[in-house]
Every structure is written in C-alpha cells, then in structure tokens.
Amino acid sequence: MRTEDVGRHLYFFSLALMAVGLTLSPFLMGASQFLIMGVWLFTGEPVKVKFNRFLRNKVAVIVASLYLLHLVGLLYTSDYAYAFKDLRVKLPLLILPLVLSSEKPLDKKHFDLLMLIYVASVFVATCVSFATYVRHDYGDIREISRFISHIRFCLNIVFCIAVVCHYTVEKQVAKGGSVPPFNLKVALDHFLRWFMLIWFLYQIYLFKSISGYMALLGFVIASLVYVFFAKVKTTGWRVALLAFIIAIPLAVGVYLYRTVTPMFSEPEVDFATLDQKTALGNDYWHDTVCFPAENGRWVGLYFCRPEMREVWNQRSTLDYDGLTLNGENLEATLARYLTSKDLRKDASGVAALDAQDITNVEQGVANYECWSRSTLYARLSETAFEYNQYRRHNNPNGGSLSQRIEYTKASLYLIKRHPLFGVGTGDILNAYQQAYDETQSPLEPQYRHRAHNQYLAITVGFGVVGLLVFLVSLLYPFCSSKGRRTYLYTVFLVIMMVSMLVEDTLETQAGVMLFAFFNSLLIFAFPKSTS
C-alpha cells in the first residue's frame, strides 16, 4: 500500500474516532485530535505545503481566528494557569480548521460512512442512557447521560435527527420520488430510518431539557427555511410553506403563554372565609408569605403539620422530617404534591393519596401534574416554581432560570467595566467571582458560575471587539459562498447558534469538539457532489 494511501486511511480513522468520542468517550475526544495532528504532520504532502494551503484559505483562517482571539487575550491576563487550561480545551478550534482545510475533501462514500459511524455512536450512547433510566439508577434525569453533559448530549441527538432526515430525503430523491417494488432490504432500511427518528425524538422528550427543545425547534425552522429557499420554486407552495414557517413559532408562543401564565398566578385570599379547624379538630395554618403559589394554588393554605406527619409516617418508610430519595425536603415535597392535587395538607389529604402518589413523593416528585403530563410541562412547571421563589424571596440558588438571571447580571456588570477588550483569556473566572461579590449577589459560592450564554461569555472575555470576531468566524463561511450552504451545514449552524443563547457551548470539551468537528467537516471536508 502506498504511503499516501496509508495517510488517507489514518486520516479517516482519526475522524471516525472523533465521531465516536463525541458522545461515548471523552478520552477519544482528546486522543483523536492529537492523532489527526500526527497524521497531518507525518504523512502525505510536506507540512509547509499544507500550512501554506491553510493560509491561502481565507475561510479557514477566519474560522481559526476564534482560537487566535484567545491567544491575543493572553496579552492582558494575569491568571495564566487558567488561561492555558482554557487554551488546551479549545485547541480543536485551531487544529480542525487547520487540518481539514489543508487536506482533500472526503469523497461521498467516506463522508457517508463517517456520518453513519456518528449516528450509530449516538444511538449506542442513547441506549446506555435509556438503560440507566429503566433501572432508575439516577437521582436526576440529567444523570442518565453517562459520558457527557446532558445538554451537549441533546445537541448531538438533535443533529442526528437532522442527519437521518438528510439521508432519508436524499434516498427518496435518488429514486425520483417514486415508490419502488417491495424489497426486504429496502423495507428494512426504511424502517430503521424512521425508527431512529422516533427514537431520537423520544430521547429529547425524556431529558426534558429546555436547551434540547430549543435546538429541536431551531432545527425544524432551519429545515423549512432551507427548503423554502433552496428547493421550492412554485409560488403556491412557497406561500404555503412560508405560512407554516411563521405559524410554528406563533403556535409555540401561544402554547407557552397559555401553559406558563397560570403557573405564575397568585389568587386573592380572603382569610376570613377559610376554615380554621381540620376535620379532626386541629388548627390549620394559613400562610401566603413563606410558601408560594404553584399553578394557581397557594401551597401554604390548609396546613396542619402534626396530622401530615402522623399519617405520612404510617404510610411510608421515609421519615416525614427527613429527605426524599433524591435529597429534597420531604415535607415541602409532600405539601406541594397535595396542593397540586387540590388536597388539604392534613390527615384527610395524605390519606387520599394512592400508592402511586406515595411513591411519587418518596422519589421527589413535587407536582402531580408534572408526573401525569408531558415532560415539557413538567420542566416548565419546575422553572416557573423556581422563578416564583426567586421573585418572592430573592433566592436564585438551585434554580436553573433564576441562576441564569444572576449570571447575566454579572456578565453585563463585567461588560460595562471592560467594554472593548474584556478581561482576558485567564481572568474570566476570577472576574465573575469578583462581580458576584461587588454586586452582592445572593448566589451561594457553589452556584457562582460563568454566563450560560456563549455570546456573553465571549464579550466578557474579549469585549465587543471579541464578540465581532466571534460572530464573523461563525457567519462568514455560511455567507461567503452559496455552494457552502448545504442542508447539513445550515441546520448544524442554527442548532449551535441557538444553543449558545442558553449555554456557554464552547467552554467544555464536549461542546468545543462537537462544534469544531462538524463546523470544519461540513465547511472543508464535505464532498463536492453532495448537497
């Protein structure tokens, strides 16, 4: 075998390892990038020729400028230990554009095989997660993602949905849109594609991740917009499709408004009309200050702790004054659960719970409707309850939305203080801690993190100038060439940019590798004959 062929095989092998490692192995994520760099250095054409090819590729240099931005940030930083750690995590932002832009694009056969390996790897990872879910071997649903964070995992799953859709449509187009005679192999292939689509959609539903739902919505809208501009030419169909595109976000907005609004309602209470005694003659405690309203009902009304304690301890092995199986306060969980079923917090209320209700409370389910309805409703209800607590008691700790509000406040505070060039590559973490202290944030130390928004994170680190560099590196490849606006690249870019609104996607190894790998692959290594 020729040396050139060996190099090409090793090059593809390293890409395949990356595709597998994205969801199955952080070790492979790290090892594969050094393997591909070794292949680039020691096989094929001389390094000087490859490097010059990279420098002559304007798009490649612009994509890699995001890493160069972090290098420039070293000039005005003080914490070099953190800076070099950050540079190491983000090394794929330099390595992958450098290597893939200076190598030949993949042929369609190898590109398709690489995507198949990726989808199969994500499928295996979802099977592991589902097995964990079935065994109930987790405290929080997010923990069923065994290899990477559930948020990055959901982004991979959504992109896999896009990949399966792409090849399903491509297959149908190749057949001219006609229905072929029955063939067992073809039928099995068709079944597997639809099974994978349904399976991946179910996984997003299972994780009840707001980021995952947002990425999925972004994928759907991006797909329809792509079809509108690239595929549909008839005026009638274009009008119908445009109406559908507009209707989707409107429908989502109406659903959210109608679902979330009641979650924030706080009904008026006339304390003079409330019963003061339980059926057993004990005193009720009525409180609308310490306990919030949830889904339009006050948790603190009709509260009789002694009766709740006695009946609960008769029905459950978990102590009333202890914790649920997932570590939450049992009394508070029970009170919220009874409220969600419109039951009073007394002996009769606890006695009215069935065996499934008792199990739900023991497992930390605080709202009956969250158990009986969709996981999206459950996630929205949890978020609304957390925000109500934050709004009433200025306590953001432990709440996803309320913590993000505090992160945003700290980010804007830092941006005002360092508007042009930011705080530098290594001082971001220290700057945030200082901002929380100076603004007297109610966040406890263990919750004081960086902005869960990539655009804010970049602006804090490198200022408005850095944000402009970042946006150019994201959008220039897509805008500069019509031929580069393929379906897969379009939906991938939208999924990533949507995720960056609610997550600092590029601040972890899994997020950086996902972005750098497919951004470079779909820009520089995409087969020329594929659309």
Side-chain angles (χ1 to χ4, degrees):
M1 185 180 292
R2 295 181 304 170
T3 304
E4 181 181 349
D5 292 335
V6 172
R8 291 298 291 175
H9 285 308
L10 286 174
Y11 174 64
F12 179 79
F13 179 70
S14 62
L15 291 175
L17 283 184
M18 283 188 183
V20 172
L22 286 174
T23 52
L24 284 176
S25 173
F27 171 76
L28 284 182
M29 277 193 240
S32 58
Q33 63 180 309
F34 292 106
L35 175 60
I36 198 171
M37 196 65 192
V39 171
W40 187 79
L41 288 171
F42 301 112
T43 66
E45 299 173 299
V47 172
K48 183 178 180 180
V49 174
K50 296 179 181 178
F51 189 70
N52 285 335
R53 186 178 297 135
F54 161 74
L55 291 178
R56 291 194 301 269
N57 190 327
K58 183 179 179 180
V59 172
V61 173
I62 289 176
V63 171
S65 67
L66 181 55
Y67 190 80
L68 302 179
L69 178 66
H70 287 74
L71 291 177
V72 172
L74 291 175
L75 298 176
Y76 51 98
T77 196
S78 60
D79 189 346
Y80 285 98
Y82 185 87
F84 287 123
K85 177 185 176 183
D86 192 48
L87 288 172
R88 176 176 55 80
V89 170
K90 293 176 180 173
L91 199 55
L93 297 174
L94 174 64
I95 289 178
L96 291 173
L98 171 65
V99 173
L100 271 66
S101 67
S102 57
E103 294 284 356
K104 294 179 181 178
L106 296 175
D107 57 47
K108 189 176 188 315
K109 177 182 177 182
H110 283 91
F111 180 84
D112 292 347
L113 178 58
L114 185 62
M115 300 309 291
L116 176 63
I117 291 171
Y118 170 65
V119 172
S121 301
V122 176
F123 176 72
V124 170
T126 59
C127 289
V128 174
S129 297
F130 186 68
T132 305
Y133 172 74
V134 171
R135 294 196 308 267
H136 296 286
D137 186 20
Y138 61 92
D140 186 293
I141 190 65
R142 293 172 289 189
E143 296 173 5
I144 69 173
S145 179
R146 288 305 206 191
F147 307 107
I148 59 176
S149 78
H150 75 290
I151 293 173
R152 276 70 180 179
F153 192 29
C154 285
L155 295 181
N156 279 279
I157 294 172
V158 172
F159 185 56
C160 275
I161 294 172
V163 172
V164 175
C165 287
H166 167 72
Y167 283 103
T168 300
V169 173
E170 183 184 72
K171 196 91 170 179
Q172 195 63 33
V173 170
K175 296 172 184 175
S178 61
V179 179
F182 179 79
N183 179 288
L184 182 60
K185 182 179 178 182
V186 172
L188 181 61
D189 177 70
H190 192 69
F191 168 78
L192 286 175
R193 292 179 194 277
W194 281 102
F195 170 76
M196 296 293 272
L197 279 176
I198 295 170
W199 175 259
F200 286 140
L201 285 170
Y202 173 69
Q203 296 301 311
I204 296 296
Y205 169 85
L206 199 63
F207 275 103
K208 61 179 183 181
S209 166
I210 297 296
S211 301
Y213 284 120
M214 288 181 63
L216 186 62
L217 179 63
F219 149 70
V220 171
I221 294 176
S223 297
L224 293 174
V225 171
Y226 178 84
V227 171
F228 178 83
F229 283 106
K231 302 298 181 182
V232 178
K233 305 301 180 184
T234 307
T235 302
W237 280 109
R238 287 174 68 89
V239 171
L241 186 58
L242 181 60
F244 191 54
I245 292 171
I246 296 173
I248 289 177
L250 287 177
V252 171
V254 170
Y255 169 79
L256 291 176
Y257 178 79
R258 296 185 64 179
T259 302
V260 173
T261 300
M263 296 177 180
F264 290 102
S265 64
E266 296 184 344
E268 294 291 332
V269 177
D270 184 357
F271 287 92
T273 64
L274 300 179
D275 294 338
Q276 301 302 313
K277 297 286 186 179
T278 71
L280 298 179
N282 295 306
D283 291 331
Y284 274 127
W285 171 38
H286 300 297
D287 184 354
T288 58
V289 177
C290 296
F291 286 86
E294 184 171 9
N295 292 359
R297 300 189 184 104
W298 287 104
V299 177
L301 297 186
Y302 296 109
F303 207 108
C304 183
R305 181 176 284 113
E307 290 188 12
M308 289 174 66
R309 179 184 289 110
E310 181 180 356
V311 179
W312 174 265
N313 286 337
Q314 292 173 0
R315 302 200 59 188
S316 173
T317 57
L318 295 184
D319 183 40
Y320 175 88
D321 296 300
L323 302 176
T324 62
L325 295 176
N326 69 338
E328 299 294 334
N329 182 283
L330 195 145
E331 180 188 70
T333 303
L334 176 60
R336 290 177 59 196
Y337 195 90
L338 288 166
T339 303
S340 71
K341 297 200 75 173
D342 202 18
L343 295 171
R344 296 187 176 188
K345 276 69 69 177
D346 57 13
S348 61
V350 179
L353 299 178
D354 60 27
Q356 182 61 60
D357 293 325
I358 297 297
T359 300
N360 289 345
V361 175
E362 289 176 337
Q363 292 178 347
V365 177
N367 190 314
Y368 172 75
E369 292 188 8
C370 291
W371 174 78
S372 61
R373 298 176 65 172
S374 73
T375 55
L376 175 58
Y377 179 90
R379 189 71 186 89
L380 292 173
S381 181
E382 291 171 7
T383 302
F385 181 80
E386 292 167 357
Y387 181 73
N388 278 334
Q389 289 288 76
Y390 175 57
R391 184 177 58 175
R392 290 171 59 85
H393 305 295
N394 194 32
N395 179 18
N397 297 288
S400 178
L401 175 61
S402 52
Q403 286 180 182
R404 278 173 165 79
I405 293 173
E406 290 296 310
Y407 301 155
T408 300
K409 289 180 180 178
S411 300
L412 295 177
Y413 175 79
L414 290 171
I415 292 169
K416 288 179 181 178
R417 296 190 63 188
H418 308 275
L420 286 180
F421 302 107
V423 301
T425 304
D427 290 346
I428 295 179
L429 193 60
N430 292 333
Y432 269 100
Q433 300 310 311
Q434 183 178 351
Y436 290 129
D437 290 336
E438 293 177 356
T439 59
Q440 298 181 335
S441 171
L443 279 173
E444 296 174 0
Q446 67 268 30
Y447 295 118
R448 293 186 170 190
H449 302 307
R450 297 163 48 150
H452 278 44
N453 179 306
Q454 191 61 57
Y455 307 104
L456 287 177
I458 290 290
T459 312
V460 169
F462 310 105
V464 175
V465 173
L467 178 63
L468 290 175
V469 172
F470 177 55
L471 293 176
V472 169
S473 72
L474 279 177
L475 298 173
Y476 181 80
F478 182 83
C479 298
S480 63
S481 171
K482 184 178 180 180
R484 203 175 287 118
R485 299 171 201 163
T486 61
Y487 171 73
L488 286 179
Y489 179 49
T490 300
V491 295
F492 174 75
L493 185 62
V494 171
I495 289 170
M496 288 291 101
M497 293 189 71
V498 169
S499 78
M500 291 175 187
L501 290 170
V502 290
E503 291 296 330
D504 41 7
T505 309
L506 303 184
E507 305 305 320
T508 63
Q509 182 190 33
V512 169
M513 281 299 297
L514 172 63
F515 173 77
F517 178 69
F518 281 112
N519 197 51
S520 297
L521 183 74
L522 298 172
I523 294 174
F524 307 117
F526 198 77
K528 300 301 182 183
S529 59
T530 304
S531 60

